[in-house]
Amino acid sequence: VQLQASGGGLVQAGDSLRLSCAASGRTFTNWNMGWFRQVPGKEREEVATITWNWGTTYYAGSVKGRFTISRDNAKNTVYLQMNSLKPEDTAVYYCAAKPGGARQYTYWGQGILVTVSS
């Protein structure tokens, strides 16, 4: 199984950015997908998650109303649309996948850096 993340970069505060995570290697029916982020010296933060079948979403309070997670089942791809970016959104972002009902995420993509300048 591979999760290939893309779309990171350097933007200014207030800008938008869309991250993509292409999953391959198995069928992801009944799997949940998530986006996480981590800043050096801090714990990894769960940013947003989505169920593969029903599209039920969860957002961290710090991004609610600004970020939107979505998925394209036909393309096995999950997206994170990030609007009104703030400098505090600067982090390495990771996508991850786990079977529905599992406690921990099983597969992780490579981290991609998002830098928001003030």
Side-chain angles (χ1 to χ4, degrees), residues 70-88:
S70 62
R71 86 272 190 246
D72 185 332
N73 290 359
K75 295 182 178 180
N76 269 2
T77 300
V78 176
Y79 304 97
L80 185 67
Q81 177 67 42
M82 305 184 293
N83 298 330
S84 302
L85 283 161
K86 304 175 181 180
E88 50 264 44

Side-chain angles (χ1 to χ4, degrees), residues 16 47-48 57-69 80-86 89:
S16 297
V47 175
T57 58
Y58 159 84
Y59 296 96
S62 57
V63 307
K64 193 174 293 185
R66 300 187 298 122
F67 290 12
T68 302
I69 188 171
L80 185 67
Q81 177 67 42
M82 305 184 293
N83 298 330
S84 302
L85 283 161
K86 304 175 181 180
D89 294 318

Side-chain angles (χ1 to χ4, degrees), residues 8-27:
L10 171 64
V11 296
Q12 293 186 334
D15 285 351
S16 297
L17 204 59
R18 189 177 80 159
L19 305 182
S20 300
C21 177
S24 61
R26 64 157 296 133
T27 301

